[in-house]
Amino acid sequence: MKKLMLIMLLAALACAATAQTNFRDLSYAEALQAAKAENKMVFLDFYTVWCGPCKFMAEEVFPLKEVGECLNNRFVCIKIDGEKGEGVELVKRYKINAYPTFIGIDVNEKEVLRIEGYSAPDAFVNIIERVWDPEKAPERIKERYDKGERSAELVRTYASLLQQEARFGSFMERYQKARQVVEDYFNHLDEAGRLAPENTFIYTQYALDPADEKTRYMIAHQADFAPECRGEIKNALLGIYNRAIAEYLSGDVDWSAQAYEQIKNDIKVAGLNDDKAFDLAFQFIECYAAGDLNAYLKLCETKFEALSEEEQEAVLRGLIRLAKSEDQNVLTRASHFIRHELPKMTVNQLSSVIGSLKRIESNMVK
């Protein structure tokens, strides 16, 4: 009991120090005890170490302030590895069929909430809040929107609801409708509205690429946002430009020197490369664009491990382009490089490169 009280005290201090989701180091039984003592429920995050969407939720959703506040205020949160320890039995008890799955239970172990798969932050928060607030029920949100309500909270909730519904049925139609709802809202805002803290979601959730008008607005007005929002704006820009750079590393976007130079300039203007974190990725992109595949493979052989994990994955996806080469030296070096790196690769990296290796080696002279 003393141990549990100490853990609860440390958890409370942690909540005060950070807004991110406070996953506690408690067993299932200890979490129930803590929930009873704090008049809360228990939030169970069922995951596995190999699950990509689980990693996305852990890295991109649970650290966010709005998600942390939503969960910490209502739940004692714990993580359950579905393949280890007590997780094996809990998976059976709660009939977990996919990862991640998130279960909310009351202190009597009655299920009050179930979410399967990954969700965007807004959608995730809205699903949870609907349990407590009838005004956020899907039919009520749509009714309020159709009657002309355009508060930041309503637009944010309605758009995220459309995104969530897009997972069940006509994905593109509903997803595009969600984006259009936000676009219409953004276009009708005045300058003060576009910079208002309650509208930060427009940029953090719905600015998706460098050419997006909302991205251009962030670049031009980064210093004009309220101080408490600037960190979120910078993180949104980092996400956009990390994805853009990954597309060039992987070859998922057609090469355009003009578009690439614009991206490099945006990164500089936004202060995203003050720590030189993009420099090596730039080197890889520009080396491949120069057309000397042996020089590119030399860079892979010597600098690959200095890239971030996401950049490495993009480079590995891009190696399939080398399968088109008629230079047997290029094909052989590419094969040797991949096979040398295989033992160190993550599951996601392996899935990115196996097809490339097969294509490259099928074109090698035996």
Side-chain angles (χ1 to χ4, degrees):
M1 188 63 182
K2 288 182 178 179
K3 175 190 173 185
L4 178 60
M5 292 303 294
L6 176 60
I7 291 173
M8 288 167 57
L9 176 60
L10 292 173
L13 291 172
C15 282
T18 178
Q20 70 178 6
T21 305
N22 179 32
F23 284 103
R24 310 192 198 181
D25 186 17
L26 298 173
S27 68
Y28 177 78
E30 288 172 338
L32 284 170
Q33 284 184 271
K36 290 177 182 177
E38 299 173 30
N39 194 28
K40 293 182 178 181
M41 297 185 182
V42 177
F43 180 83
L44 308 171
D45 173 1
F46 285 93
Y47 75 99
T48 66
V49 295
W50 47 261
C51 167
C54 300
K55 182 178 179 182
F56 171 84
M57 295 295 293
E59 294 181 354
E60 304 295 334
V61 177
F62 290 126
L64 297 179
K65 177 182 177 182
E66 60 267 31
V67 178
E69 289 178 346
C70 175
L71 289 173
N72 297 338
N73 290 336
R74 298 183 173 102
F75 297 98
V76 171
C77 303
I78 61 173
K79 287 182 172 289
I80 304 289
D81 187 331
E83 298 180 336
K84 293 182 180 178
E86 66 177 353
V88 176
E89 177 56 35
L90 290 170
V91 162
K92 295 177 183 177
R93 184 189 306 184
Y94 287 102
K95 297 179 173 59
I96 305 301
N97 298 311
Y99 295 102
T101 293
F102 309 101
I103 303 290
I105 59 172
D106 63 20
V107 293
N108 296 314
E109 301 180 78
K110 178 184 176 181
E111 184 175 317
V112 298
L113 172 74
R114 177 179 288 253
I115 305 173
E116 293 185 352
Y118 73 89
S119 296
D122 280 348
F124 189 78
V125 169
N126 288 332
I127 293 169
I128 294 169
E129 290 188 341
R130 284 177 214 150
V131 177
W132 284 270
D133 188 353
E135 283 294 300
K136 292 188 176 178
E139 58 277 8
R140 178 60 179 143
I141 289 295
K142 185 178 186 304
E143 179 186 6
R144 291 165 61 191
Y145 186 85
D146 288 344
K147 287 183 176 179
E149 183 178 339
R150 293 297 185 271
S151 66
E153 181 182 10
L154 188 280
V155 170
R156 179 174 183 167
T157 302
Y158 184 49
S160 66
L161 174 63
L162 290 171
Q163 280 193 310
Q164 185 67 21
E165 289 179 344
R167 297 174 56 198
F168 311 101
S170 178
F171 177 85
M172 286 307 299
E173 180 181 348
R174 285 173 172 164
Y175 179 71
Q176 291 298 336
K177 187 174 180 181
R179 290 196 66 187
Q180 193 59 54
V181 164
V182 176
E183 290 289 337
D184 291 346
Y185 179 63
F186 175 76
N187 290 334
H188 285 87
L189 289 171
D190 59 18
E191 196 75 1
R194 291 184 174 188
L195 295 170
E198 63 267 25
N199 286 322
T200 304
F201 79 94
I202 294 173
Y203 312 101
T204 59
Q205 296 294 320
Y206 296 97
L208 301 179
D209 60 68
D212 192 310
E213 182 184 356
K214 298 180 290 299
T215 303
R216 309 314 310 161
Y217 189 85
M218 281 192 284
I219 293 285
H221 296 274
Q222 194 174 0
D224 299 327
F225 286 92
E228 66 270 22
C229 300
R230 290 174 194 165
E232 290 182 83
I233 294 298
K234 185 169 185 177
N235 284 337
L237 287 169
L238 271 171
I240 290 167
Y241 286 96
N242 275 326
R243 289 191 295 272
I245 290 300
E247 288 181 340
Y248 277 97
L249 286 170
S250 65
D252 289 343
V253 63
D254 292 335
W255 172 255
S256 165
Q258 182 178 358
Y260 172 68
E261 289 301 324
Q262 179 64 61
I263 286 171
K264 280 188 71 175
N265 186 64
D266 287 349
I267 288 171
K268 179 180 178 181
V269 170
L272 303 179
N273 199 39
D274 290 349
D275 58 359
K276 309 299 182 184
F278 283 94
D279 281 1
L280 186 55
F282 292 155
Q283 190 177 348
F284 270 78
I285 292 168
E286 291 160 20
C287 184
Y288 184 86
D292 186 340
L293 297 183
N294 278 294
Y296 182 72
L297 282 165
K298 180 66 175 179
L299 190 60
C300 290
E301 292 159 356
T302 57
K303 298 290 184 67
F304 176 78
E305 293 184 12
L307 294 166
S308 71
E309 185 177 313
E310 291 74 18
E311 289 168 345
Q312 288 179 358
E313 187 177 328
V315 167
L316 293 171
R317 288 202 310 274
L319 289 177
I320 197 167
R321 296 174 292 180
L322 276 60
K324 300 176 184 178
S325 175
E326 297 179 359
D327 185 334
Q328 288 296 310
N329 183 56
V330 166
L331 297 173
T332 300
R333 288 182 69 179
S335 171
H336 287 171
F337 167 70
I338 293 172
R339 289 188 174 278
H340 178 267
E341 294 295 326
L342 283 176
K344 296 173 278 187
M345 290 184 191
T346 65
V347 172
N348 287 341
Q349 290 172 342
L350 284 169
S351 65
S352 296
V353 81
I354 293 301
S356 300
L357 181 62
K358 183 177 180 180
R359 288 277 298 277
I360 288 167
E361 293 188 343
S362 69
N363 291 338
M364 291 169 58
V365 175
K366 305 300 181 183

